[in-house]
């Protein structure tokens, strides 16, 4: 047998290698062939799909970064700032809507504590942009026309032009000062002083504003003191009402429900006065109404009971624990976890950025120290209560319920001084937030005057409800006047 021949029944080595290269193998089963696939092809076929998706995502992120860098180089800095502020507002609005939708799906009764700006407060988050050059030019033109109309004696047109100038450029020092002079000529000393103060906040060394405010400041202080004297005289009349007066007892009970109604309505609560009375008198829930809103009513009611039974009669120092106990009752039925606990996240309140969470406890200690100081207690009770309200809401120590807690603390100070509790009506919500914003800008006096007006309104309500008037019998000759028995 030659070397090129094979053994019978066995293929030669060349034939076996040829068959392997062709990929055919004889198996145990006849007629069945197995195909060998290269290892690289197998690995490519079994590669996970998420690997390609991840690589595409990385490319997308890289492309977005490059485009953003180019956009930042091409656009001016002012436009980028405005766009960033608009995007920030959009994120807050989107977050609030997502949380509100999640609450509707899960039907939770507690308010989210992770949200910096709640859905109720999102409408207050207005992005303040600087006036454009065209707006400043229009403001200067309106100011020039206003001065000309003033010189011609057309004061109504001049007033409208002053207001238009400040609308186009709210930080125009010249417009603020000239409008202050205009208001001073109209005997509106309080408005003039407010305008001068705003001008000096922007330009502290403005000569004309400094001279003018030096004249209006003592006049405004005198006006405020006269107003406080008027309030004090009305407080004496209320204190002279017999304690057993059924009319006084009835009106105090009504004002109690009205206070709860308005203090929760300011925060966006939609319960009516009748529904709030039903909840507090029967302790039954109102069908078809939000349980969270009903728990807000119960919380304010519990906090007011705590103040009336514990803190009003305890004349002396107020502690941080007292403020926390008030808040624990205000928010305890809505969010027991955050009730009475200082916030641990940063929040936004309109245009105001409260202190960082790490600074809250320190600022609360300083606030309590001021609250118990001799300088604070020597202030007029209305001024003292208003400043305490503003300082606490400015710190914003809690994640929610700061407004209700601040108003309750204000009423605690007033009641300890012999004044009735003050109700800020929901119809005054816009004015209430406006004077708080003005206080954040540096002038707290408009807020103090607002609280003084609310105090006088409450005193007038009590005096009117407890004054007895005669129901005269008809005379032979009808008279158009009815004389009261008691003036």
């Amino acid at each position: 047998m030659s070397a090129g021949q094979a053994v019978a029944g066995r293929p030669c080595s060349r034939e076996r290698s040829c068959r392997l290269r062709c990929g055919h193998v004889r198996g145990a089963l006849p007629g069945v062939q197995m195909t060998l696939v290269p290892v690289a092809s197998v690995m490519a076929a079994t590669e996970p799909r998420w690997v390609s998706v991840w690589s595409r995502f990385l490319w997308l992120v890289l492309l977005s970064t490059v485009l953003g860098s180019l956009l930042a180089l091409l656009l001016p800095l002012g436009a980028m700032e405005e766009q960033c502020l608009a995007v920030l507002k959009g994120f807050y609005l989107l977050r609030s809507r997502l949380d509100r939708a999640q609450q509707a799906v899960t039907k939770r009764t507690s308010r989210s504590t992770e949200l910096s700006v709640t859905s109720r407060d999102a409408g207050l988050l207005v992005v303040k942009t600087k006036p454009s050059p065209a707006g400043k030019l229009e403001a200067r033109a309106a100011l020039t026309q206003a001065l000309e109309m003033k010189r011609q004696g057309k004061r109504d047109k001049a007033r409208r032009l002053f207001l238009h100038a400040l609308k186009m450029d709210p930080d125009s020092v010249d417009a603020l000062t000239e409008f202050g002079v205009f208001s001073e000529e109209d005997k509106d000393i309080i408005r003039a002083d407010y305008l001068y103060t705003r001008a000096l906040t922007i330009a502290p060394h403005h000569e004309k504003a400094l001279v003018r405010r030096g004249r209006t400041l003592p006049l405004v202080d005198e006006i405020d003191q006269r107003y406080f004297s008027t309030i004090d005289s009305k407080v004496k009349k209320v204190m002279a009402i017999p304690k057993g007066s059924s009319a006084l007892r009835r009106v105090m009970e009504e004002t109690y429900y009205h206070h709860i109604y308005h203090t929760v309505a300011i925060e966006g609560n939609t319960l009516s006065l009748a529904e709030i009375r039903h909840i507090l008198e029967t302790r039954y829930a109102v069908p078809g109404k939000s349980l969270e809103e009903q728990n807000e009513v119960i919380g304010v009611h519990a906090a007011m009971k705590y103040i009336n039974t514990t803190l009003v009669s305890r004349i002396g120092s107020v502690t941080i624990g007292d403020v926390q106990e008030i808040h624990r009752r205000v928010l305890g039925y809505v969010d027991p976890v955050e009730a009475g606990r200082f916030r641990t996240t940063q929040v936004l309140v309109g245009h105001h950025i409260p202190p960082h969470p790490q600074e809250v406890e320190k600022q609360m200690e300083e606030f309590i120290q001021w609250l118990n100081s001799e300088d604070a207690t020597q202030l007029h009770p209305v001024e003292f209560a208003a400043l305490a309200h503003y300082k606490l809401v400015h710190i914003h120590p809690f994640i929610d319920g700061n407004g209700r807690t601040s108003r309750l603390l204000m009423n605690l100070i007033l009641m300890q001084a012999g004044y009735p509790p003050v109700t800020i009506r929901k119809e005054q919500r816009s004015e209430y937030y406006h004077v708080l914003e003005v206080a954040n800008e540096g002038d707290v006096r408009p807020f103090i005057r607002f609280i003084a007006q609310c105090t006088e309104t409450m005193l007038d309500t009590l005096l009117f409800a407890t004054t007895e008037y005669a129901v005269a019998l008809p005379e032979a000759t009808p008279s158009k006047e009815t004389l009261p028995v008691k003036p």
Side-chain angles (χ1 to χ4, degrees):
M1 183 174 64
S2 62
Q5 296 177 349
V7 180
R10 295 180 61 187
C12 65
S13 60
R14 184 179 302 172
E15 181 180 359
R16 289 198 302 270
S17 62
C18 178
R19 289 181 178 179
L20 286 174
R21 282 196 302 269
C22 295
H24 299 289
V25 179
R26 290 182 181 178
L29 297 177
V32 177
Q33 294 182 344
M34 296 180 62
T35 302
L36 296 180
V37 182
V39 176
S41 302
V42 175
M43 293 180 65
T46 59
E47 182 180 3
R49 185 174 299 175
W50 62 269
V51 175
S52 61
V53 175
W54 178 250
S55 62
R56 293 177 184 176
F57 176 74
L58 290 178
W59 277 108
L60 182 61
V61 171
L62 181 61
L63 181 61
S64 302
T65 305
V66 173
L67 291 177
S69 302
L70 292 175
L71 188 64
L73 292 175
L74 294 176
L75 289 179
L77 185 60
M80 285 296 296
E81 182 181 359
E82 293 181 5
Q83 290 186 2
C84 290
L85 288 174
V87 169
L88 178 62
K89 179 185 177 182
F91 277 130
Y92 280 124
L93 293 175
L94 178 62
R95 179 71 181 274
S96 64
R97 291 179 181 177
L98 290 176
D99 280 4
R100 185 167 51 190
Q102 184 180 5
Q103 288 179 1
V105 172
T106 57
K107 295 183 179 180
R108 294 185 304 173
T109 59
S110 61
R111 183 177 287 126
S112 173
T113 60
E114 300 177 357
L115 195 60
S116 294
V117 177
T118 62
S119 59
R120 293 176 178 179
D121 297 330
L124 302 175
L125 184 61
V126 180
V127 178
K128 277 189 173 180
T129 57
K130 295 181 179 180
S132 62
K136 290 185 177 181
L137 185 62
E138 184 176 351
R140 286 196 293 269
L143 176 59
T144 303
Q145 293 178 5
L147 294 175
E148 179 62 23
M149 292 297 104
K150 172 186 170 183
R151 187 183 66 82
Q152 296 179 9
K154 301 177 181 179
R155 301 190 68 83
D156 290 337
K157 290 185 178 180
R159 180 186 301 276
R160 289 195 295 268
L161 287 169
F162 277 126
L163 292 174
H164 180 69
L166 290 175
K167 181 179 180 181
M168 299 306 299
D169 188 4
D171 295 336
S172 174
V173 177
D174 292 334
L176 290 168
T177 304
E178 293 298 336
F179 192 29
V181 175
F182 182 86
S183 302
E184 191 175 354
E185 292 172 353
D186 283 347
K187 308 301 181 183
D188 193 349
I189 305 299
I190 292 179
R191 176 187 286 272
D193 185 76
Y194 164 70
L195 292 169
Y196 297 147
T197 302
R198 279 192 58 190
L200 291 173
T201 302
I202 300 168
H205 302 291
H206 193 273
E207 184 177 355
K208 189 172 184 179
L210 281 171
V211 173
R212 289 284 180 172
R213 189 171 186 270
R215 295 188 347 184
T216 58
L217 183 59
L219 298 176
V220 169
D221 289 340
E222 183 181 353
I223 292 172
D224 290 339
Q225 293 303 321
R226 284 205 305 263
Y227 192 35
F228 287 151
S229 299
T230 302
I231 293 176
D232 290 340
S233 64
K234 293 184 178 181
V235 169
K236 292 178 181 178
K237 292 181 180 179
V238 171
M239 296 295 291
I241 300 174
K243 298 300 181 183
S245 172
S246 59
L248 179 63
R249 184 173 60 253
R250 184 169 57 251
V251 70
M252 290 301 293
E253 181 180 356
E254 289 297 324
T255 55
Y256 182 86
Y257 290 113
H258 275 265
H259 177 79
I260 296 178
Y261 165 69
H262 287 287
T263 197
V264 297
I266 287 177
E267 308 295 334
N269 194 298
T270 61
L271 292 173
S272 66
L273 178 61
E275 289 169 340
I276 289 176
R277 292 194 65 139
H278 169 81
I279 293 170
L280 298 181
E281 291 177 352
T282 66
R283 291 293 178 172
Y284 284 102
V286 177
K289 288 292 185 176
S290 167
L291 290 178
E292 180 179 351
E293 292 186 342
Q294 299 186 54
N295 285 332
E296 287 178 351
V297 171
I298 297 174
V300 174
H301 172 63
M304 292 177 69
K305 286 182 60 179
Y306 170 72
I307 290 174
N308 290 330
T309 58
T310 306
L311 299 181
V312 172
S313 59
R314 197 190 72 190
I315 305 296
S317 62
V318 178
T319 65
I320 293 182
D322 296 333
V323 179
Q324 290 176 319
E325 284 298 325
I326 295 173
H327 183 265
R328 183 172 289 113
R329 286 159 176 79
V330 167
L331 204 65
Y333 295 88
V334 177
D335 191 349
V337 176
E338 295 293 337
R341 189 168 72 97
F342 292 151
R343 58 182 169 86
T344 56
T345 58
Q346 184 62 52
V347 294
L348 297 175
V349 186
H351 304 136
H352 170 58
I353 302 177
H356 191 273
Q358 296 179 355
E359 298 291 327
V360 168
E361 188 170 357
K362 177 184 176 182
Q363 294 209 12
M364 283 298 296
E365 292 176 355
E366 294 176 355
F367 167 68
I368 294 299
Q369 184 178 0
W370 170 85
L371 199 66
N372 299 315
S373 66
E374 187 177 355
D375 293 338
T377 54
Q378 286 182 350
L379 295 172
H380 188 275
V382 174
E383 185 178 5
F384 180 27
L387 286 175
H389 177 304
Y390 168 69
K391 286 177 177 291
L392 181 59
V393 82
H394 181 82
I395 299 172
H396 214 80
F398 307 106
I399 196 69
D400 192 16
N402 294 276
R404 282 162 283 175
T405 305
S406 300
R407 290 189 288 273
L408 288 171
L409 178 63
M410 174 184 68
N411 282 331
L412 168 63
I413 295 173
L414 288 174
M415 288 189 291
Q416 286 183 340
Y419 285 66
V422 170
T423 299
I424 301 175
R425 302 177 63 84
K426 70 171 186 176
E427 295 83 7
Q428 299 172 301
R429 184 174 187 265
S430 298
E431 184 181 1
Y432 174 54
Y433 285 139
H434 172 69
V435 292
L436 279 174
E437 185 176 351
V438 171
N440 289 332
E441 294 175 355
D443 190 0
V444 74
R445 292 174 303 168
F447 180 71
I448 297 174
R449 296 188 192 106
F450 174 77
I451 299 301
Q453 292 172 3
C454 294
T455 305
E456 186 182 21
T457 301
M458 178 58 63
L459 292 170
D460 290 339
T461 301
L462 296 177
L463 292 174
F464 178 80
T466 56
T467 302
E468 298 179 4
Y469 290 92
V471 180
L473 295 175
E475 301 176 356
T477 303
S479 175
K480 296 181 180 180
E481 297 181 356
T482 303
L483 299 178
V485 174
K486 291 185 179 181

